[in-house]
Amino acid sequence: MATRWGICSAGKISHDFSVALRTLASEDHQIVAVAARDLQHAEEFARKHSIPRAYGSYDELAKDPDVDVVYVGTIHPHHLSAGKLFMKSRKNVLIEKPLAMNSREVQELITAAQKYSVFLMEAIWTRFFPASLEVRRLLSGGEVGDVRLVRADLGAPLTHIARLAERKMGGGALLDLGIYCLQFVFMVFNGERPESIQATGHCIDTGVDGTAVLVLKFSGNRLAICTCSITVMLTNDAVITGTKGNIKVPNHMWCPTALEVNGKEMQFPLPEADMTLNFTNSTGLRYEAEEVRRCLQKGLKESPGMLWAHSILIAEVIDEARRQLGVTYDQDSIQ
């Protein structure tokens, strides 16, 4: 039986996710409904993607008995309320990254998932790309020896995009881009908590972080350096350096299709899209959808590839980095 998806929000990332689902077998994945706060937008989205039902409110989607799991593609500040709405209606949820605005909200979502006994996963799609799975296999096999240093960079001039630049919309480099760098680090170090976190950078005039550099120190003098920016173009790559060599994600580290392992290149091509996409390599969103289906079939409430503990850790590190940079959101003062 197919996993029946509901789509929450009719924006750009929801479009790309819907396109990605069509690269998978229809007997495994079907979109049965879409909801937006504007019914016209939902209806337009439904026509474009041949979705049978369109709703003008998230409440209607939550009440749809034919929906197994909801993909939440709203802007960051709405992740908590949307996620709790669907889980209260006993819907499984895949929520776009960041899972929430801060670690308190992340914990609130996890508590709701536990209370209502539903599946919850932060949609960090990078974790499920074939290239990322290969990185984990190489590390577990000792291909580069003991890892001593991880570097990850991600940035581009993006301050013209309101949701990335405005405080009220959850903007800032750390929440939108730095999360990819951090998840990569914690994937490499198996979710180990760093001994220290040092952050520096600068804020733009809206009060959010424009560029941030984080240095994380782990046990045994192992280090990770993460740089993220919405003001300048960075190399957008990642390197794992070990005692026997290195693994490099040469470009698009947030949606990898290639690796260099001790100088040897490896390619992991993606399927073609049947519509124009908004973001790079978006057909790769299929891999997180496949993970959700696998977990649901096994009766799991969290993904082994993106554990709740990792989501909490990432959020706590971002909270601390924002504290050091002086970046606050309204959600930080809510108790």
Side-chain angles (χ1 to χ4, degrees):
M1 181 177 177
T3 298
R4 300 170 300 178
W5 289 87
I7 305 296
C8 172
S9 180
K12 291 181 178 180
I13 191 62
S14 293
H15 166 87
D16 285 13
F17 184 79
S18 299
V19 173
L21 282 182
R22 289 200 297 277
T23 68
L24 298 168
S26 59
E27 58 265 29
D28 291 338
H29 297 270
Q30 294 176 6
I31 304 176
V32 298
V34 60
R37 288 177 294 179
D38 183 301
L39 179 59
Q40 183 178 347
H41 289 163
E43 290 173 339
E44 290 173 358
F45 191 98
R47 283 193 294 271
K48 180 182 290 186
H49 293 282
S50 301
I51 300 171
R53 294 191 289 282
Y55 299 119
S57 73
Y58 300 160
D59 291 280
E60 292 174 280
L61 179 61
K63 295 173 183 175
D64 190 323
D66 296 327
V67 172
D68 299 317
V69 56
V70 178
Y71 171 77
V72 177
T74 64
I75 61 173
H76 307 161
H78 299 316
H79 289 181
L80 177 64
S81 59
K84 289 176 67 176
L85 169 69
F86 295 120
M87 287 190 284
K88 188 176 182 179
S89 296
R90 302 304 197 277
K91 303 298 186 192
N92 303 295
V93 286
L94 173 66
I95 302 179
E96 257 308 329
K97 58 82 201 165
L99 190 56
M101 291 294 293
N102 53 39
S103 59
R104 179 190 56 77
E105 288 194 348
V106 168
Q107 185 59 64
E108 197 171 332
L109 285 167
I110 292 170
T111 299
Q114 293 169 326
K115 177 180 179 180
Y116 298 112
S117 190
V118 295
F119 176 83
L120 165 67
M121 188 174 93
E122 183 172 16
I124 297 185
W125 61 327
T126 315
R127 285 282 175 103
F128 306 103
F129 272 65
S132 294
L133 299 181
E134 180 64 11
V135 168
R136 277 181 263 185
R137 188 191 70 80
L138 291 166
L139 292 174
S140 65
E143 187 72 21
V144 297
D146 297 328
V147 175
R148 308 308 304 169
L149 177 67
V150 180
R151 178 188 60 77
D153 297 347
L154 183 55
L158 299 169
T159 54
H160 60 285
I161 301 174
R163 71 171 185 84
L164 294 175
E166 298 296 330
R167 279 184 69 255
K168 294 289 186 182
M169 300 182 76
L174 281 165
L175 273 188
D176 204 76
L177 303 180
I179 190 170
Y180 285 117
C181 302
L182 288 169
Q183 75 79 28
F184 185 83
V185 167
F186 293 127
M187 181 185 76
V188 173
F189 288 139
N190 295 313
E192 182 179 331
R193 184 172 295 275
E195 293 179 344
S196 66
I197 303 164
Q198 294 180 319
T200 188
H202 70 84
C203 295
I204 59 176
D205 55 10
T206 59
V208 303
D209 49 302
T211 298
V213 180
L214 276 63
V215 178
L216 310 180
K217 184 178 180 181
F218 293 84
S219 62
N221 293 321
R222 295 168 298 151
L223 297 172
I225 304 169
C226 300
T227 307
C228 58
S229 180
I230 57 171
T231 63
V232 294
M233 180 64 71
L234 299 178
T235 54
N236 299 330
D237 63 357
V239 180
I240 303 166
T241 301
T243 54
K244 295 181 181 179
N246 61 70
I247 301 171
K248 181 178 181 180
V249 183
N251 50 45
H252 308 319
M253 60 80 60
W254 72 101
C255 49
T257 57
L259 297 175
E260 293 177 12
V261 184
N262 294 329
K264 180 182 178 181
E265 294 185 4
M266 305 174 72
Q267 299 294 326
F268 302 86
L270 295 174
E272 294 294 322
D274 63 3
M275 284 185 182
T276 300
L277 296 168
N278 295 296
F279 305 106
T280 304
N281 291 346
S282 277
T283 52
L285 290 163
R286 74 199 301 265
Y287 301 120
E288 65 181 7
E290 288 182 302
E291 174 68 6
V292 171
R293 177 173 168 80
R294 279 193 295 269
C295 291
L296 293 180
Q297 288 181 317
K298 293 180 179 179
L300 301 177
K301 303 308 179 187
E302 62 178 316
S303 163
M306 190 60 222
L307 293 168
W308 294 342
H310 283 212
S311 293
I312 292 173
L313 179 56
I314 291 168
E316 288 177 343
V317 171
I318 291 177
D319 284 354
E320 173 58 22
R322 290 196 294 110
R323 185 192 68 78
Q324 293 183 32
L325 293 171
V327 177
T328 61
Y329 299 109
D330 293 344
Q331 292 83 357
D332 295 330
S333 61
I334 299 172
Q335 300 299 321

